Amino acid sequence: MSENRIAVGLDIGTSEIRVAIGEYDENGKIQIAGTASKKSAGLRNGVIVNIEDAKAAIEEAISAAEMNAGINVNSVITAIGGSQIESATHKGGVAVNPNGRNNKEITNDDVERVIANATAVPVPEDREKLHVIPRDYIVDGYHGISDPIHRIGTRLEVEVHIVTAARTIIQNMRSTISRAGYILDGVMLKTLAQTFSVCHEDEMELGSILIDLGAGTTDVIVLVGGAPVSTASVPVGGNLVTNDISIVTGISSATAEEKKIEAGCCWLPLINEQNDKEVVLPGVGGRAPEVIMKSQLCQIIQARMEQIFTMVKATIIKNTDDSIKKLSGNIILTGGGAQMEGVIELAQNVFRTSSVRLGCPENLGGIEEDYRNPAFATVIGLVLASKNMPASKDSRKKHRSFADRKEKKDGEGVLKKIFKSLF
Ligand SMILES: Nc1ncnc2c1ncn2[C@@H]1O[C@H](COP(=O)(O)OP(=O)(O)O)[C@@H](O)[C@H]1O
Ligand SMILES: [Mg+2]
């Protein structure tokens, strides 16, 4: 029996744990063989706070995906986001022509040296480098070179985007996954993983913002010229919206969550006399059920969602230099919260642009209804990102983050540009 290579994405979310098992065919084409989504446990705002609970939830989710796919899983790739992520752009430069010969072609060795030079920044003991992504190569002062190899020049510079995460958070993920019986093959920035499943190369080249609307946090990545320029996370998300509904209407959080998903909308102009409807709120403790209009529910939701988007916008402006002015791609909304009715319209209004779209994984075979949903952007993205990873056998010896992997030297294009530095 031939053994196809498999890749497993694991998204340890605040509200849900999701798994996608991808299987490569002989031609290297990936198919989604099985997925699963189970209620999360032991997490707060994207961070594991109870290892035993998280372990049990992870085990349950992976087992369910194994059953769906009919495949046994050994190792997984996971994603990390939230406030424990920091990223910054650093610059480095080297002389291409150390021997004094003129018109020297830039070689791979020069590229490796310049990246080493740019990344020779000290990382605090308590942080781990997750990604080192070359953003822009500069040859003799000329910017915007995506691949400098074979160019003639005397001085090579590079701007690299370095993403780091708190070491203890990654250690906790490793040990939780290991206790659940699986090997951790790699850790990827969550929003970066999502770009693989929901972003198009042209929009990342033109400059785009991906916003992940999660339960506990809302995470952002800004991409210009096909590579990240900044990342951010605000510690607010869909849970807060649910909480508002629960407080204002006096129902339990569980019911508020249910009503939000069933009838929630975050853009009032979408509701008119014809489509406004009654939403029945069950009575608590023997109280008679109450009725609230969808438009009233919308006002509660819109206020909070508008605040979340406004915070995201302010954070992006604060974290991103002038390059933000060059964004002419899209704002891509993804994550579970992107399923809310009116979310596109609200974002268009807050960000003052019509270029807003939903980020949903595309069909990759298998049972597509199971994963063609913005909530699956992370796990599907992890599976797609795995294409550029070495097969997992050798990584069994040692758990590493992507930044530790050997650089791949072949290939071009925007995604490859990101990957070049990842492995
Ligand atoms: N149909 C829906 N409409 C509005 N919000 C939704 C819907 N489905 C899920 N959500 C919200 O999305 C959030 C969960 O998104 P998800 O990406 O799964 O979060 P996490 O990764 O943080 O666990 C929750 O706040 C949930 O209420
Ligand atoms: Mg999520």
Side-chain angles (χ1 to χ4, degrees):
M1 210 179 75
S2 76
E3 283 230 349
N4 282 345
R5 192 187 146 198
I6 64 159
V8 184
L10 169 68
D11 175 14
I12 310 170
T14 307
S15 71
E16 293 279 323
I17 298 195
R18 294 194 177 82
V19 181
I21 303 178
E23 192 173 16
Y24 290 91
D25 67 16
E26 314 73 60
N27 308 316
K29 198 170 169 292
I30 199 144
Q31 282 253 339
I32 301 301
T35 58
S37 180
K38 291 279 168 197
K39 212 170 160 27
S40 184
L43 264 92
R44 192 178 306 137
N45 289 352
V47 174
I48 296 173
V49 290
N50 183 321
I51 290 190
E52 274 311 304
D53 289 355
K55 167 200 162 248
I58 289 168
E59 256 177 341
E60 197 191 346
I62 298 179
S63 303
E66 285 179 325
M67 290 277 281
N68 284 342
I71 290 173
N72 274 329
V73 166
N74 294 316
S75 60
V76 301
I77 321 164
T78 195
I80 184 169
S83 59
Q84 57 274 12
I85 296 294
E86 279 173 18
S87 75
T89 299
H90 297 273
K91 230 175 151 172
V94 293
V96 175
N97 187 3
N99 306 326
R101 277 185 298 137
N102 284 328
N103 290 344
K104 195 175 173 260
E105 261 192 25
I106 293 169
T107 62
N108 198 63
D109 176 59
D110 296 317
V111 171
E112 277 178 10
R113 280 191 306 118
V114 79
I115 290 177
N117 179 270
T119 52
V121 282
V123 173
E125 263 295 290
D126 60 345
R127 304 198 67 80
E128 192 167 313
K129 268 186 204 163
L130 218 52
H131 305 292
V132 173
I133 306 163
R135 283 199 26 74
D136 188 20
Y137 290 97
I138 303 141
V139 179
D140 294 341
Y142 289 97
H143 280 261
I145 295 162
S146 60
D147 188 356
I149 291 175
H150 300 315
R151 279 183 171 263
I152 310 288
T154 55
R155 182 159 178 82
L156 176 64
E157 291 166 283
V158 71
E159 275 180 15
V160 292
H161 197 67
I162 302 179
V163 182
T164 67
R167 199 176 283 279
T168 51
I169 307 276
I170 296 183
Q171 279 165 351
N172 269 338
M173 280 179 141
R174 281 196 181 113
S175 90
T176 311
I177 291 167
S178 150
R179 278 170 199 235
Y182 301 93
I183 295 160
L184 180 60
D185 263 347
V187 183
M188 195 168 190
L189 175 64
K190 194 176 284 189
T191 47
L192 187 62
Q194 291 170 330
T195 64
F196 286 92
S197 61
V198 305
C199 294
H200 298 289
E201 290 196 10
D202 55 351
E203 60 189 0
M204 293 198 281
E205 195 62 46
L206 288 169
S208 289
I209 301 172
L210 176 137
I211 304 176
D212 172 19
L213 298 155
T217 65
T218 303
D219 290 6
V220 187
I221 189 164
V222 182
L223 305 129
V224 178
V229 285
S230 78
T231 63
S233 177
V234 292
V236 287
N239 279 351
L240 221 55
V241 176
T242 303
N243 199 38
D244 287 347
I245 299 171
S246 153
I247 289 169
V248 175
T249 63
I251 55 176
S252 71
S253 324
T255 313
E257 176 75 14
E258 213 176 275
K259 296 295 155 187
K260 178 180 88 171
I261 289 169
E262 180 191 307
C265 176
C266 64
W267 188 240
L268 198 55
L270 289 177
I271 305 174
N272 52 42
E273 272 174 32
Q274 278 77 47
N275 66 12
D276 201 1
K277 62 174 186 197
E278 293 184 344
V279 181
V280 180
L281 307 177
V284 176
R287 214 172 61 203
E290 281 178 43
V291 165
I292 172 176
M293 295 309 289
K294 181 177 162 118
S295 53
Q296 290 174 295
L297 186 64
C298 176
Q299 286 174 39
I300 304 169
I301 298 171
Q302 185 172 332
R304 183 62 81 178
M305 292 289 288
E306 197 167 325
Q307 187 204 25
I308 294 175
F309 279 133
T310 306
M311 281 172 79
V312 165
K313 188 181 175 185
T315 311
I316 295 170
I317 291 170
K318 194 179 93 201
N319 288 3
T320 315
D321 58 13
D322 279 356
S323 50
I324 191 138
K325 296 192 190 113
K326 295 183 222 142
L327 303 183
S328 49
N330 290 316
I331 292 179
I332 301 134
L333 306 179
T334 194
Q339 295 168 91
M340 169 84 67
E341 186 186 347
V343 78
I344 302 277
E345 289 81 358
L346 178 65
Q348 284 174 330
N349 192 267
V350 173
F351 289 92
R352 307 217 165 278
T353 172
S354 58
S355 309
V356 181
R357 69 173 187 86
L358 203 62
C360 198
E362 273 153 30
N363 186 9
L364 291 165
I367 306 167
E368 58 171 308
E369 299 81 54
D370 285 351
Y371 63 84
R372 290 208 62 183
N373 178 315
F376 275 84
T378 305
V379 273
I380 301 296
L382 286 169
V383 168
L384 291 172
S386 73
K387 197 173 169 82
N388 294 263
M389 284 177 68
S392 64
K393 279 198 199 81
D394 51 61
S395 59
R396 285 189 192 180
K397 295 183 202 121
K398 193 172 164 241
H399 302 318
R400 296 176 296 185
S401 62
F402 284 178
D404 302 330
R405 291 179 189 282
K406 257 193 134 52
E407 189 181 321
K408 272 214 153 189
K409 293 182 178 104
D410 58 331
E412 284 181 0
V414 179
L415 290 184
K416 281 280 166 53
K417 187 167 131 191
I418 294 178
F419 277 132
K420 261 185 196 160
S421 59
L422 297 187
F423 312 108

